[in-house]
Amino acid sequence: MQEAETLWQSVLGQIQLMVSPANFATWFGGTKITEVTEEKIIISVPNTFVKEWLEQKYHKTILKIIKSLKPQVKDIEYRVEKTEVKSPKIQKEKIPETQLKILELEINGKTGLNPKYTFANFVVGSFNELAFAAAQAIVNSPGQIYNPLFVYGGVGLGKTHLLQAIGNEILRTYPKLNVRYFQVNKLVSDIINAIQNKKIEKFKDSFQNIDVLILDDIQFLAGKEKTQEEFFYIFNSLYEKNRQIVLSSDRPPKAIPSLAERLRSRFEGGMIVDISLPDYETRMAILKVKSQEKGVFLSEEILNYIASNIKTNIRELEGALNILVAYTKLQNKDIDFKTAKVLLKNLISPVPKVSNFKRVIEVVAEFYEIDEKLLLSNSRRKEIVKPRQVAMYILREDLKYSFPYIAQKFNGKDHTTVIHAWTKIGKELENNENLSEEIRQIRARLFEVQI
Ligand code: ADP
Ligand code: MG
């Protein structure tokens, strides 16, 4: 079944790039390939709900991906795995709360840490060296130098990897310390549950003996007032005891909307470091390290092709690699450049799947009937400033570019200018219908070909 597993992991790897994490966990958690015959593949799923959903919504995509890896396959069948049902009495077809099995495969139940994330396999370049240095300093003396450490950066750039590595390294160095890693969206729902069940005091107490508290994606606290209150209590009691706290976010504390002022100032009270975008050399280095890890040789030409085309997300770099690795293993031979290009065409298309920077500038300039050059300039004229802020907003909100990256593209502005633009437009959208409509129109033009 080695082949089945490799094949399915590779399919999942590609699907993960197309759907949101929540959708991925809901529909693909707990699935696996149970049988591979010459022309048919059987996929086991945890319940009929998932079965129907996959058949109706994802079948075409799954089949297409499988065919790209194993052309002889003609059909897929989804089967409900009966053994998964634990209590026969409650056989109601309810979606299990979390079907995160795949994602949690190796995760330690107590610490929440996944041992696969280490410093050793974290590639360091100028885009993340400050964050890396701060992380190392913390491992050397937890709770004593930077508290909290606040790491921010765009999607897929290594925040989770770095935070997890901090936890793993601390445990390796001081096995007695109580290290705990949490995803903040999960923590938020735990806090809400605890409040509802009147167990919040007990819940908060359970944090008291933690030595190192690692919280990933803290932006999920945005707008959740009551949760923030309870969270502040947990944070503070550990902070006052000099316990190490490490936080990550997709944006700096200033740009987290509706965050209680006292939390914001706590977050800003330690060390703030950002992870920006890896340059070409670093992207090549990452590809080399990862292909070696996976035990597959890929030519310089292929690696260069990937590194030149995928620039803003390390997870996607890895996704591309996984597709080629799966193919190589299944076919049992090295891959040539032409085949690699064909396999990667879903990921790297000549016409961008979603819009890129240039396209946003074109469309926004065209929409407001101004010159592209002016849009990118430093002009303070009112009729230019607003479109510029809209462009920045879309680049951040929809394309997920990092603030420093956007700032640099706009005539080397300071990244706080971009944060300001993004916050301002975001706020205005709440009660300015004209602006909402403008942005809706612009988005329609930008994303008409979106998947
Ligand atoms: P984020 O949490 O910022 O969205 P992740 O930490 O999940 O990003 O990183 C996405 C993927 O890229 C992971 O598989 C991770 O191991 C890998 N990755 C990110 N940064 C690096 C790096 N500097 N070196 C090696 N792998 C990296
Ligand atoms: Mg993450």
Side-chain angles (χ1 to χ4, degrees):
M1 280 329 269
Q2 176 70 34
E3 182 195 351
E5 204 170 297
T6 314
L7 180 62
W8 193 232
Q9 283 308 325
S10 157
V11 173
L12 291 179
Q14 294 200 45
I15 288 174
Q16 211 169 359
L17 297 171
M18 303 173 181
V19 304
S20 73
N23 265 323
F24 182 76
T26 309
W27 306 117
F28 296 93
T31 59
K32 60 173 186 275
I33 292 185
T34 46
E35 237 179 283
V36 182
T37 62
E38 213 23 58
E39 297 188 345
K40 190 167 173 180
I41 279 182
I42 315 257
I43 296 172
S44 96
V45 297
N47 55 49
T48 53
F49 202 81
V50 171
K51 174 171 149 59
E52 278 166 22
W53 197 267
L54 291 184
E55 281 168 353
Q56 284 163 23
K57 306 269 182 187
Y58 289 103
H59 178 72
K60 263 199 191 147
T61 314
I62 298 173
L63 188 62
K64 201 169 139 205
I65 298 175
I66 289 185
K67 277 188 165 170
S68 77
L69 297 163
K70 229 178 130 59
Q72 60 274 38
V73 173
K74 300 228 159 39
D75 196 19
I76 304 176
E77 192 187 317
Y78 305 88
R79 279 192 199 153
V80 177
E81 182 100 77
K82 289 282 182 303
T83 53
E84 290 278 308
V85 182
K86 284 207 184 84
S87 155
K89 269 182 246 147
I90 29 171
Q91 275 215 8
K92 272 205 221 139
E93 294 292 2
K94 185 175 145 214
I95 323 169
E97 203 171 275
T98 42
Q99 295 179 343
L100 286 164
K101 277 194 203 109
I102 296 181
L103 304 172
E104 288 178 353
L105 218 54
E106 297 176 76
I107 296 175
N108 178 309
K110 178 161 181 290
T111 62
L113 291 169
N114 181 336
K116 84 171 189 188
Y117 295 113
T118 62
F119 280 167
N121 60 12
F122 189 75
V123 178
V124 183
S126 56
F127 73 112
N128 63 5
E129 64 188 353
L130 190 58
F132 181 70
Q136 278 185 314
I138 278 178
V139 172
N140 289 334
S141 36
Q144 287 169 38
I145 328 179
Y146 307 131
N147 211 11
L149 171 66
F150 190 104
V151 180
Y152 76 92
V155 179
L157 291 176
K159 300 183 297 295
T160 296
H161 189 138
L162 189 66
L163 261 63
Q164 286 261 345
I166 292 176
N168 284 320
E169 290 298 313
I170 291 184
L171 270 186
R172 214 164 52 92
T173 326
Y174 320 91
K176 292 228 169 75
L177 287 190
N178 184 3
V179 179
R180 303 287 297 275
Y181 167 96
F182 293 93
Q183 302 243 257
V184 172
N185 52 357
K186 171 80 172 40
L187 189 66
V188 166
S189 71
D190 286 350
I191 292 181
I192 293 173
N193 282 338
I195 296 175
Q196 280 170 356
N197 300 329
K198 309 216 164 13
K199 294 204 168 113
I200 187 68
E201 293 311 319
K202 205 168 154 214
F203 183 78
K204 285 191 288 193
D205 281 349
S206 70
F207 283 77
Q208 290 315 308
N209 58 358
I210 294 179
D211 298 302
V212 179
L213 178 64
I214 304 174
L215 300 170
D216 203 357
D217 290 321
I218 198 87
Q219 74 273 7
F220 286 117
L221 281 179
K224 311 204 170 72
E225 242 171 76
K226 184 72 184 139
T227 309
Q228 285 184 20
E229 241 170 69
E230 305 298 353
F231 175 80
F232 183 73
Y233 175 89
I234 296 172
F235 183 100
N236 238 14
S237 60
L238 294 179
Y239 179 81
E240 278 164 3
K241 287 186 276 190
N242 288 332
R243 307 286 166 81
Q244 179 67 51
I245 298 165
V246 184
L247 310 166
S248 87
S249 165
D250 66 350
R251 63 199 79 175
K254 273 199 178 42
I256 301 177
S258 25
L259 182 68
E261 200 43 50
R262 53 184 186 167
L263 269 180
R264 193 190 313 277
S265 66
R266 276 289 191 236
F267 292 172
E268 286 173 343
M271 170 82 160
I272 301 183
V273 287
D274 84 321
I275 297 184
S276 58
L277 295 177
D279 54 25
Y280 172 80
E281 279 71 29
T282 317
R283 298 199 295 277
M284 284 295 275
I286 291 173
L287 289 171
K288 284 181 182 166
V289 169
K290 303 250 170 193
S291 54
Q292 258 169 25
E293 261 176 25
K294 294 172 204 284
V296 164
F297 172 81
L298 295 168
S299 70
E300 197 77 9
E301 191 182 20
I302 295 177
L303 297 180
N304 167 56
Y305 178 70
I306 303 174
S308 311
N309 285 287
I310 300 178
K311 298 177 177 166
T312 58
N313 187 325
I314 298 176
R315 186 174 299 131
E316 282 186 11
L317 278 182
E318 231 181 321
L321 211 56
N322 285 340
I323 293 169
L324 304 187
V325 168
Y327 181 89
T328 314
K329 288 200 169 150
L330 292 169
Q331 303 293 326
N332 212 358
K333 60 172 191 230
D334 280 352
I335 196 166
D336 60 75
F337 184 49
K338 236 173 105 190
T339 316
K341 268 176 97 167
V342 173
L343 286 169
L344 295 177
K345 73 174 187 306
N346 283 339
L347 210 59
I348 301 171
S349 47
V351 193
K353 221 178 13 196
V354 279
S355 285
N356 57 15
F357 185 92
K358 202 164 152 278
R359 179 92 185 115
V360 173
I361 298 302
E362 263 172 32
V363 170
V364 173
E366 185 194 277
F367 183 84
Y368 289 106
E369 297 180 327
I370 56 172
D371 191 355
E372 279 181 40
K373 283 210 188 71
L374 271 175
L375 193 63
L376 292 165
S377 74
N378 287 333
S379 164
R380 301 294 314 153
R381 273 160 48 197
K382 201 168 154 245
E383 65 273 23
I384 309 293
V385 171
K386 182 185 141 189
R388 185 184 296 133
Q389 290 180 331
V390 167
M392 288 174 169
Y393 176 82
I394 287 174
L395 286 164
R396 174 63 206 166
E397 195 65 22
D398 300 332
L399 277 77
K400 311 287 184 215
Y401 288 132
S402 77
F403 293 117
Y405 178 76
I406 299 170
Q408 174 219 324
K409 292 289 235 179
F410 278 86
N411 210 9
K413 286 197 176 40
D414 190 70
H415 74 279
T416 52
T417 311
V418 186
I419 293 172
H420 171 74
W422 175 75
T423 319
K424 180 162 178 275
I425 298 290
K427 272 225 177 78
E428 247 190 83
L429 275 178
E430 286 169 14
N431 42 31
N432 182 339
E433 274 177 28
N434 290 346
L435 183 66
S436 306
E437 182 55 24
E438 287 170 11
I439 292 189
R440 212 176 60 78
Q441 290 290 332
I442 294 171
R443 280 180 168 149
R445 293 182 192 190
L446 274 172
F447 303 117
E448 58 195 355
V449 287
Q450 205 192 350
I451 33 158

